[in-house]
Amino acid sequence: MTKPRGKIFRTAAALWAALGVSTAAAQTGTWSIERPPEETEGPAWALNYDAAYAVRQGSDARSVGKSVAFQLSLEKRAYEVLWYGLELGHQFGHELKGRSAGRYIADVDGDKQGDVLDFDSDVKVKVFHLTPYLRLGKVFGKRGGLALRHTVSLGAGLYHWTSNSGTLSMTGTTSKGTTAKGLQVPYGSASSAHFGGNFGTALDLHVREGLSVGVELRYHTLFGATEDIGYLLPAAR
């Protein structure tokens, strides 16, 4: 009686193993948090291009318009979860307009008090940066030939801030109660170099070998002597 019973147990074990294989095969079409094959980790070197929209942050944000921006980077995978690279970026032009705030508040009526006024202008602020960075993350999901990768990044380097000369066209009422409508205020050109840093997070979809698309949110800070300048950049990668 022992031998048939052992044969039954061995047969049942074989069926259970086969069922397990069939179940695993049936799940390949769903997202899984299992570690994907090595080829979905991406190549050792990668060239990234980000099309971004830069939004000024801080005390004078309401005086500065938004700008189209790009970020181009070359990175190398050092370890399975770590990349390092060099990035250059450019914000093409934040138009000075809106309501005077922060560094853009001026005393236009001569009473030694800052006048908060609405204004428009032909002045644009441009920002260029060149920063080495580290990116940390891993592939956490896969489905067929697709894979998802989440990363966080941290960088620091050189930022160059410039603005052209132009004219601010003011409207509103000054602290003296006089109207500023039609008032034209000259604005001189300016340029400054800053040390700055950035950090962000990205989600990339690996489509095929050598190609991935994704989104990223990054915050850049230009360190200043009296006040830092910040920009938030949502981007498509």
Side-chain angles (χ1 to χ4, degrees), residues 103-176:
R103 72 187 64 206
Y104 300 110
I105 293 180
D107 176 18
V108 299
D109 57 9
D111 64 352
K112 298 183 179 180
Q113 295 184 36
D115 298 304
V116 179
L117 302 168
D118 295 322
F119 71 98
D120 200 355
S121 79
D122 56 357
V123 179
K124 289 188 176 182
V125 174
K126 300 178 181 180
V127 182
F128 170 86
H129 74 266
L130 181 65
T131 57
Y133 67 90
L134 293 174
R135 187 181 298 278
L136 181 68
K138 63 178 295 184
V139 174
F140 69 89
K142 61 170 184 167
R143 181 174 183 175
L146 304 178
L148 282 173
R149 184 180 77 168
H150 175 249
T151 58
V152 293
S153 61
L154 180 66
L158 175 67
Y159 288 78
H160 190 240
W161 182 98
T162 60
S163 64
N164 62 288
S165 59
T167 303
L168 308 183
S169 303
M170 317 300 291
T171 60
T173 304
T174 70
S175 56
K176 278 185 176 181

Side-chain angles (χ1 to χ4, degrees), residues 63-79:
S63 300
V64 183
K66 301 174 180 62
S67 172
V68 174
F70 83 89
Q71 298 174 145
L72 182 69
S73 63
L74 179 66
E75 66 181 33
K76 186 180 190 305
R77 190 173 76 232
Y79 300 100

Side-chain angles (χ1 to χ4, degrees), residues 71 73-75 82-88 129-136 151-159 194-201 216-223 231:
Q71 298 174 145
S73 63
L74 179 66
E75 66 181 33
L82 179 65
W83 294 258
Y84 64 89
L86 182 67
E87 177 183 83
L88 63 87
H129 74 266
L130 181 65
T131 57
Y133 67 90
L134 293 174
R135 187 181 298 278
L136 181 68
T151 58
V152 293
S153 61
L154 180 66
L158 175 67
Y159 288 78
H194 301 260
F195 175 76
N198 61 82
F199 63 91
T201 181
E216 182 180 45
L217 184 64
R218 189 97 65 84
Y219 187 84
H220 293 261
T221 300
L222 288 66
F223 301 120
Y231 297 92

Side-chain angles (χ1 to χ4, degrees), residues 52-70:
Y53 201 54
V55 183
R56 179 73 168 88
Q57 305 293 300
S59 61
D60 54 8
R62 62 182 181 176
S63 300
V64 183
K66 301 174 180 62
S67 172
V68 174
F70 83 89

Side-chain angles (χ1 to χ4, degrees), residues 201-215:
T201 181
L203 185 64
D204 296 305
L205 177 64
H206 177 89
V207 179
R208 59 179 174 81
E209 182 63 28
L211 177 64
S212 64
V213 294
V215 292

